[in-house]
Amino acid sequence: MTSVQKARRQVRLSRSLGIALTPKAVKHFEKRPYPPGEHGRTARRKESDYAVRLREKQRLRAQYGLREKQMTSTYAEAKKESGLTGEAFVELLEMRLDALVLRAGFARTILQARQSVLHRHILVDGKIVDRPSFRVKPGQTIQVKPKAVTLEPYMAAAAGAHRDVLPQVPEYLDVTLEKLSARLVRRPKRAEVPVTCDVQLVVEYYAR
């Protein structure tokens, strides 16, 4: 799949789920704020409870760009934690390395953040980590490795080029953007995580 095809797929998915998943999708979504297809402009018929829960789960999954197997395994972990399962679910997803690379502003989209990790451009406490699912612990530092900082995408990131399309850096991250370095200060709290999702509906979906 080419980059153009991937971009179009993300735009179509954004319209289907009712949220803009990428900066490029924002413009398209503003022009056509309705689902794709010939019946996209018509009012949706009343959905079943299952359909509503499924769509909410799909929205969360799309914002992290995950496979269903990754979602179910993280949900299983969240169920074992104390407190609300839905909140723990989002908090665990947010501590993934690729998610924090995006939140820190080192990448423009979650897919770009994942590629940065897979291409071995990201260090955790000074060591290369090439697993996007790696769970960063509070106190650990993530940064772009020195040999990669001169690549154009990272030079743009260090100059703040992505700040206009990304949410404000959350308080659980201490970012030094010009050095492409960030430290996870503490575990994220659900209310701080910049994802659009009714987590209770997601929990109900998996608990069915």
Side-chain angles (χ1 to χ4, degrees):
M1 184 181 293
T2 67
S3 58
V4 173
Q5 289 174 322
K6 288 180 180 178
R8 287 175 178 170
R9 184 172 180 271
Q10 288 296 305
V11 169
R12 189 174 180 83
L13 183 58
S14 294
R15 291 175 58 200
S16 176
L17 296 176
I19 51 173
L21 297 172
T22 65
K24 183 173 290 187
V26 172
K27 296 179 181 178
H28 290 272
F29 193 67
E30 288 175 348
K31 292 179 181 178
R32 299 178 180 180
Y34 46 82
E38 61 178 309
H39 301 298
R41 291 175 183 268
T42 59
R44 287 177 183 254
R45 62 185 179 183
K46 183 174 175 56
E47 296 179 303
S48 66
D49 289 344
Y50 172 79
V52 171
R53 292 166 183 154
L54 172 63
R55 188 173 71 251
E56 205 63 25
K57 186 269 295 184
Q58 296 290 63
R59 294 176 84 182
L60 180 61
R61 176 183 164 186
Q63 287 172 87
Y64 284 101
L66 302 180
R67 297 188 301 274
E68 184 59 28
K69 184 177 180 180
Q70 295 170 305
M71 291 284 285
T72 54
S73 63
T74 305
Y75 176 75
E77 283 188 76
K79 281 182 64 178
K80 297 176 183 178
E81 297 211 350
S82 59
L84 298 175
T85 298
E87 293 189 358
F89 189 21
V90 174
E91 291 164 6
L92 291 175
L93 290 174
E94 186 66 9
M95 288 190 287
R96 287 174 54 97
L97 180 56
D98 54 357
L100 294 178
V101 167
L102 175 65
R103 300 288 179 247
F106 302 168
R108 197 172 181 86
T109 68
I110 190 64
L111 297 180
Q112 288 181 6
R114 182 159 303 138
Q115 287 300 307
S116 293
V117 178
L118 291 172
H119 290 164
R120 299 172 63 84
H121 292 169
I122 303 298
L123 306 176
V124 177
D125 285 349
K127 297 181 180 180
I128 290 176
V129 177
D130 58 6
R131 287 190 300 112
S133 62
F134 176 87
R135 183 164 298 147
V136 180
K137 299 180 178 64
Q140 289 188 311
T141 297
I142 63 175
Q143 65 186 109
V144 176
K145 70 178 183 181
K147 289 184 178 180
V149 295
T150 55
L151 297 176
E152 193 279 329
Y154 299 121
M155 292 180 67
H162 306 328
R163 280 286 140 239
D164 61 326
V165 296
L166 295 176
Q168 184 176 352
V169 176
E171 291 188 3
Y172 47 84
L173 273 179
D174 181 13
V175 179
T176 306
L177 195 55
E178 62 273 17
K179 294 184 179 180
L180 295 173
S181 176
R183 186 171 67 89
L184 182 61
V185 179
R186 54 174 171 75
R187 176 172 169 142
K189 297 177 182 177
R190 165 62 188 108
E192 304 171 294
V193 178
V195 295
T196 302
C197 172
D198 185 333
V199 292
Q200 182 55 39
L201 291 177
V202 179
V203 169
E204 290 172 6
Y205 171 84
Y206 284 114
R208 72 193 191 285

mmCIF file of all heavy atoms in Angstrom, residues 27-28 38 51 59 63-65 67 70 77 79 89 94 110 117 127 137 150-152 161 171 195 202:
data_model
loop_
_atom_site.group_PDB
_atom_site.id
_atom_site.type_symbol
_atom_site.label_atom_id
_atom_site.label_comp_id
_atom_site.label_asym_id
_atom_site.label_seq_id
_atom_site.Cartn_x
_atom_site.Cartn_y
_atom_site.Cartn_z
ATOM 1 N N LYS A 27 -8.868 18.296 7.469
ATOM 2 C CA LYS A 27 -9.407 19.139 6.400
ATOM 3 C C LYS A 27 -10.534 18.431 5.654
ATOM 4 O O LYS A 27 -11.570 19.017 5.366
ATOM 5 C CB LYS A 27 -8.291 19.525 5.430
ATOM 6 C CG LYS A 27 -7.198 20.374 6.058
ATOM 7 C CD LYS A 27 -6.109 20.707 5.064
ATOM 8 C CE LYS A 27 -5.008 21.539 5.712
ATOM 9 N NZ LYS A 27 -3.909 21.838 4.753
ATOM 10 N N HIS A 28 -10.316 17.165 5.333
ATOM 11 C CA HIS A 28 -11.351 16.408 4.631
ATOM 12 C C HIS A 28 -12.585 16.237 5.506
ATOM 13 O O HIS A 28 -13.718 16.313 5.030
ATOM 14 C CB HIS A 28 -10.806 15.038 4.232
ATOM 15 C CG HIS A 28 -9.772 15.079 3.157
ATOM 16 N ND1 HIS A 28 -10.085 15.047 1.816
ATOM 17 C CD2 HIS A 28 -8.423 15.174 3.222
ATOM 18 C CE1 HIS A 28 -8.975 15.094 1.095
ATOM 19 N NE2 HIS A 28 -7.949 15.180 1.928
ATOM 20 N N GLU A 38 -22.575 6.262 -0.520
ATOM 21 C CA GLU A 38 -23.694 6.991 -1.143
ATOM 22 C C GLU A 38 -24.761 7.401 -0.145
ATOM 23 O O GLU A 38 -25.540 8.321 -0.396
ATOM 24 C CB GLU A 38 -24.313 6.142 -2.255
ATOM 25 C CG GLU A 38 -24.883 4.807 -1.772
ATOM 26 C CD GLU A 38 -25.518 4.019 -2.901
ATOM 27 O OE1 GLU A 38 -26.350 4.610 -3.618
ATOM 28 O OE2 GLU A 38 -25.183 2.836 -3.084
ATOM 29 N N ALA A 51 -23.795 -2.142 18.159
ATOM 30 C CA ALA A 51 -23.166 -1.310 17.127
ATOM 31 C C ALA A 51 -22.524 -0.065 17.731
ATOM 32 O O ALA A 51 -21.433 0.343 17.322
ATOM 33 C CB ALA A 51 -24.197 -0.911 16.071
ATOM 34 N N ARG A 59 -13.076 3.284 17.467
ATOM 35 C CA ARG A 59 -12.507 4.634 17.554
ATOM 36 C C ARG A 59 -11.234 4.635 18.396
ATOM 37 O O ARG A 59 -10.226 5.227 18.027
ATOM 38 C CB ARG A 59 -13.526 5.610 18.167
ATOM 39 C CG ARG A 59 -14.744 5.860 17.318
ATOM 40 C CD ARG A 59 -15.740 6.755 18.040
ATOM 41 N NE ARG A 59 -15.414 8.162 17.875
ATOM 42 C CZ ARG A 59 -16.098 9.150 18.442
ATOM 43 N NH1 ARG A 59 -17.117 8.872 19.230
ATOM 44 N NH2 ARG A 59 -15.750 10.396 18.237
ATOM 45 N N GLN A 63 -7.275 5.253 17.003
ATOM 46 C CA GLN A 63 -6.433 6.353 17.480
ATOM 47 C C GLN A 63 -5.048 5.872 17.904
ATOM 48 O O GLN A 63 -4.081 6.638 17.883
ATOM 49 C CB GLN A 63 -7.142 7.073 18.635
ATOM 50 C CG GLN A 63 -8.310 7.927 18.146
ATOM 51 C CD GLN A 63 -9.129 8.496 19.287
ATOM 52 O OE1 GLN A 63 -8.823 9.557 19.812
ATOM 53 N NE2 GLN A 63 -10.177 7.786 19.675
ATOM 54 N N TYR A 64 -4.954 4.597 18.268
ATOM 55 C CA TYR A 64 -3.648 4.023 18.598
ATOM 56 C C TYR A 64 -3.097 3.170 17.448
ATOM 57 O O TYR A 64 -1.974 2.686 17.540
ATOM 58 C CB TYR A 64 -3.728 3.194 19.882
ATOM 59 C CG TYR A 64 -3.784 4.056 21.129
ATOM 60 C CD1 TYR A 64 -4.981 4.288 21.783
ATOM 61 C CD2 TYR A 64 -2.630 4.659 21.635
ATOM 62 C CE1 TYR A 64 -5.040 5.092 22.920
ATOM 63 C CE2 TYR A 64 -2.680 5.464 22.763
ATOM 64 C CZ TYR A 64 -3.884 5.673 23.393
ATOM 65 O OH TYR A 64 -3.932 6.481 24.513
ATOM 66 N N GLY A 65 -3.902 2.974 16.409
ATOM 67 C CA GLY A 65 -3.453 2.221 15.245
ATOM 68 C C GLY A 65 -3.094 0.781 15.552
ATOM 69 O O GLY A 65 -2.092 0.265 15.045
ATOM 70 N N ARG A 67 -3.850 -3.547 16.216
ATOM 71 C CA ARG A 67 -4.588 -4.724 15.794
ATOM 72 C C ARG A 67 -5.491 -5.154 16.949
ATOM 73 O O ARG A 67 -5.239 -4.836 18.106
ATOM 74 C CB ARG A 67 -3.632 -5.861 15.426
ATOM 75 C CG ARG A 67 -2.722 -5.551 14.238
ATOM 76 C CD ARG A 67 -1.947 -6.789 13.806
ATOM 77 N NE ARG A 67 -1.123 -7.327 14.879
ATOM 78 C CZ ARG A 67 0.102 -6.914 15.159
ATOM 79 N NH1 ARG A 67 0.657 -5.941 14.453
ATOM 80 N NH2 ARG A 67 0.796 -7.461 16.161
ATOM 81 N N GLN A 70 -3.874 -6.862 19.933
ATOM 82 C CA GLN A 70 -3.178 -5.963 20.859
ATOM 83 C C GLN A 70 -4.169 -5.303 21.812
ATOM 84 O O GLN A 70 -3.865 -5.095 22.986
ATOM 85 C CB GLN A 70 -2.402 -4.909 20.072
ATOM 86 C CG GLN A 70 -1.268 -5.470 19.232
ATOM 87 C CD GLN A 70 -0.691 -4.442 18.289
ATOM 88 O OE1 GLN A 70 -1.407 -3.834 17.495
ATOM 89 N NE2 GLN A 70 0.610 -4.239 18.363
ATOM 90 N N GLU A 77 -5.034 -7.084 30.647
ATOM 91 C CA GLU A 77 -4.153 -6.528 31.680
ATOM 92 C C GLU A 77 -4.904 -5.517 32.533
ATOM 93 O O GLU A 77 -4.772 -5.493 33.761
ATOM 94 C CB GLU A 77 -2.953 -5.837 31.039
ATOM 95 C CG GLU A 77 -1.874 -6.748 30.519
ATOM 96 C CD GLU A 77 -0.661 -5.951 30.079
ATOM 97 O OE1 GLU A 77 0.098 -5.483 30.957
ATOM 98 O OE2 GLU A 77 -0.487 -5.765 28.864
ATOM 99 N N LYS A 79 -8.003 -5.319 33.235
ATOM 100 C CA LYS A 79 -8.983 -5.960 34.122
ATOM 101 C C LYS A 79 -8.343 -6.397 35.440
ATOM 102 O O LYS A 79 -9.016 -6.465 36.465
ATOM 103 C CB LYS A 79 -9.604 -7.179 33.428
ATOM 104 C CG LYS A 79 -10.676 -6.850 32.415
ATOM 105 C CD LYS A 79 -11.255 -8.119 31.812
ATOM 106 C CE LYS A 79 -11.961 -8.959 32.849
ATOM 107 N NZ LYS A 79 -12.573 -10.184 32.251
ATOM 108 N N PHE A 89 -7.304 0.807 31.079
ATOM 109 C CA PHE A 89 -7.115 0.388 29.688
ATOM 110 C C PHE A 89 -6.450 1.503 28.873
ATOM 111 O O PHE A 89 -5.425 1.290 28.212
ATOM 112 C CB PHE A 89 -8.488 0.037 29.107
ATOM 113 C CG PHE A 89 -8.456 -0.611 27.755
ATOM 114 C CD1 PHE A 89 -7.320 -1.259 27.282
ATOM 115 C CD2 PHE A 89 -9.582 -0.592 26.950
ATOM 116 C CE1 PHE A 89 -7.304 -1.870 26.034
ATOM 117 C CE2 PHE A 89 -9.584 -1.194 25.704
ATOM 118 C CZ PHE A 89 -8.448 -1.839 25.240
ATOM 119 N N GLU A 94 -1.621 4.265 26.562
ATOM 120 C CA GLU A 94 -0.886 5.523 26.433
ATOM 121 C C GLU A 94 0.591 5.370 26.788
ATOM 122 O O GLU A 94 1.422 6.161 26.326
ATOM 123 C CB GLU A 94 -1.534 6.587 27.327
ATOM 124 C CG GLU A 94 -0.959 7.975 27.175
ATOM 125 C CD GLU A 94 -1.207 8.616 25.822
ATOM 126 O OE1 GLU A 94 -1.991 8.048 25.009
ATOM 127 O OE2 GLU A 94 -0.636 9.690 25.563
ATOM 128 N N ILE A 110 0.361 8.710 14.551
ATOM 129 C CA ILE A 110 0.718 7.490 15.265
ATOM 130 C C ILE A 110 1.453 6.530 14.336
ATOM 131 O O ILE A 110 2.350 5.798 14.768
ATOM 132 C CB ILE A 110 -0.525 6.812 15.890
ATOM 133 C CG1 ILE A 110 -0.111 5.664 16.836
ATOM 134 C CG2 ILE A 110 -1.479 6.319 14.831
ATOM 135 C CD1 ILE A 110 0.666 6.090 18.035
ATOM 136 N N VAL A 117 9.983 4.001 15.622
ATOM 137 C CA VAL A 117 10.410 2.936 16.533
ATOM 138 C C VAL A 117 10.914 1.735 15.736
ATOM 139 O O VAL A 117 11.990 1.191 16.024
ATOM 140 C CB VAL A 117 9.263 2.524 17.469
ATOM 141 C CG1 VAL A 117 9.699 1.372 18.372
ATOM 142 C CG2 VAL A 117 8.801 3.709 18.317
ATOM 143 N N LYS A 127 19.150 3.175 25.205
ATOM 144 C CA LYS A 127 19.238 1.926 24.457
ATOM 145 C C LYS A 127 18.153 1.873 23.383
ATOM 146 O O LYS A 127 17.013 2.288 23.612
ATOM 147 C CB LYS A 127 19.085 0.727 25.398
ATOM 148 C CG LYS A 127 20.190 0.622 26.436
ATOM 149 C CD LYS A 127 19.991 -0.597 27.326
ATOM 150 C CE LYS A 127 21.108 -0.701 28.366
ATOM 151 N NZ LYS A 127 20.930 -1.892 29.257
ATOM 152 N N LYS A 137 8.164 3.037 31.412
ATOM 153 C CA LYS A 137 7.903 3.161 32.850
ATOM 154 C C LYS A 137 8.140 4.608 33.292
ATOM 155 O O LYS A 137 8.981 5.307 32.724
ATOM 156 C CB LYS A 137 8.820 2.227 33.647
ATOM 157 C CG LYS A 137 8.656 0.751 33.342
ATOM 158 C CD LYS A 137 9.600 -0.070 34.194
ATOM 159 C CE LYS A 137 9.422 -1.568 33.954
ATOM 160 N NZ LYS A 137 9.767 -1.963 32.568
ATOM 161 N N THR A 150 19.575 14.292 12.448
ATOM 162 C CA THR A 150 19.801 15.156 11.281
ATOM 163 C C THR A 150 18.891 14.798 10.111
ATOM 164 O O THR A 150 18.919 15.482 9.083
ATOM 165 C CB THR A 150 21.266 15.059 10.816
ATOM 166 O OG1 THR A 150 21.597 13.694 10.570
ATOM 167 C CG2 THR A 150 22.202 15.629 11.872
ATOM 168 N N LEU A 151 18.082 13.748 10.269
ATOM 169 C CA LEU A 151 17.116 13.409 9.222
ATOM 170 C C LEU A 151 16.022 14.468 9.195
ATOM 171 O O LEU A 151 15.603 14.975 10.237
ATOM 172 C CB LEU A 151 16.518 12.024 9.476
ATOM 173 C CG LEU A 151 17.494 10.839 9.437
ATOM 174 C CD1 LEU A 151 16.770 9.546 9.810
ATOM 175 C CD2 LEU A 151 18.133 10.715 8.062
ATOM 176 N N GLU A 152 15.554 14.792 8.007
ATOM 177 C CA GLU A 152 14.616 15.910 7.830
ATOM 178 C C GLU A 152 13.376 15.836 8.725
ATOM 179 O O GLU A 152 12.999 16.839 9.333
ATOM 180 C CB GLU A 152 14.211 16.005 6.353
ATOM 181 C CG GLU A 152 13.495 17.299 5.995
ATOM 182 C CD GLU A 152 12.022 17.273 6.360
ATOM 183 O OE1 GLU A 152 11.424 16.176 6.335
ATOM 184 O OE2 GLU A 152 11.472 18.346 6.697
ATOM 185 N N ALA A 161 7.547 21.723 14.253
ATOM 186 C CA ALA A 161 6.676 21.716 13.074
ATOM 187 C C ALA A 161 5.352 20.993 13.297
ATOM 188 O O ALA A 161 4.380 21.251 12.583
ATOM 189 C CB ALA A 161 7.415 21.077 11.902
ATOM 190 N N GLU A 171 0.728 16.689 30.892
ATOM 191 C CA GLU A 171 1.581 16.942 32.054
ATOM 192 C C GLU A 171 2.393 15.729 32.486
ATOM 193 O O GLU A 171 3.353 15.880 33.235
ATOM 194 C CB GLU A 171 0.721 17.447 33.223
ATOM 195 C CG GLU A 171 0.147 18.836 32.984
ATOM 196 C CD GLU A 171 -0.543 19.386 34.220
ATOM 197 O OE1 GLU A 171 -0.519 18.706 35.270
ATOM 198 O OE2 GLU A 171 -1.113 20.484 34.143
ATOM 199 N N VAL A 195 -7.318 11.362 23.822
ATOM 200 C CA VAL A 195 -8.026 10.503 22.878
ATOM 201 C C VAL A 195 -9.519 10.703 23.079
ATOM 202 O O VAL A 195 -9.980 10.974 24.192
ATOM 203 C CB VAL A 195 -7.661 9.008 23.049
ATOM 204 C CG1 VAL A 195 -6.202 8.767 22.715
ATOM 205 C CG2 VAL A 195 -7.984 8.507 24.446
ATOM 206 N N VAL A 202 -16.495 0.939 25.671
ATOM 207 C CA VAL A 202 -15.460 -0.011 25.232
ATOM 208 C C VAL A 202 -15.403 -1.199 26.194
ATOM 209 O O VAL A 202 -15.312 -2.359 25.781
ATOM 210 C CB VAL A 202 -14.096 0.670 25.134
ATOM 211 C CG1 VAL A 202 -13.025 -0.341 24.706
ATOM 212 C CG2 VAL A 202 -14.134 1.831 24.145
#
